[in-house]
């Protein structure tokens, strides 16, 4: 499968396509690696939220899972 990456575009629910990356299925989850180049050469320090869904041929499922849970603050990567 693949993961589609979108970047925040400055206002509520406004995102721009940044790229797609491969997904590796692992025990009880998935691994996705997003290069800094996909994020526009950014420094890698960011806040993030994830939404999962599945493509079923002619359409998509609804949201299957989110991370972090709805209502919680976004996840964060560390800085130098």
């Amino acid at each position: 499968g693949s993961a589609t990456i979108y970047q925040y575009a400055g206002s509520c629910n406004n995102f721009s396509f940044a790229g797609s990356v491969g997904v590796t299925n692992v025990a009880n989850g998935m691994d996705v690696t997003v290069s800094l180049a996909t994020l526009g050469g950014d420094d890698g320090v960011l806040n993030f939220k994830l939404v999962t869904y599945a493509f079923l041929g002619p359409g998509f499922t609804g949201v299957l899972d989110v991370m972090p849970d709805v209502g919680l603050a976004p996840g964060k990567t560390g800085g130098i």
Side-chain angles (χ1 to χ4, degrees):
S2 65
T4 306
I5 311 301
Y6 290 92
Q7 286 183 288
Y8 177 66
S11 62
C12 184
N13 294 324
N14 188 9
F15 302 91
S16 60
F17 176 78
S20 293
V21 296
V23 173
T24 302
N25 293 311
V26 295
N28 199 29
M30 295 179 243
D31 284 347
V32 176
T33 301
V34 180
S35 70
L36 293 179
T38 300
L39 300 176
D42 197 45
D43 62 7
V45 177
L46 53 94
N47 298 333
F48 64 90
K49 290 194 173 197
L50 306 172
V51 177
T52 62
Y53 58 88
F55 179 65
L56 299 176
F60 295 88
T61 64
V63 172
L64 297 174
D65 199 4
V66 296
M67 186 181 91
D69 289 336
V70 173
L72 295 179
K76 298 179 183 211
T77 63
I80 295 176

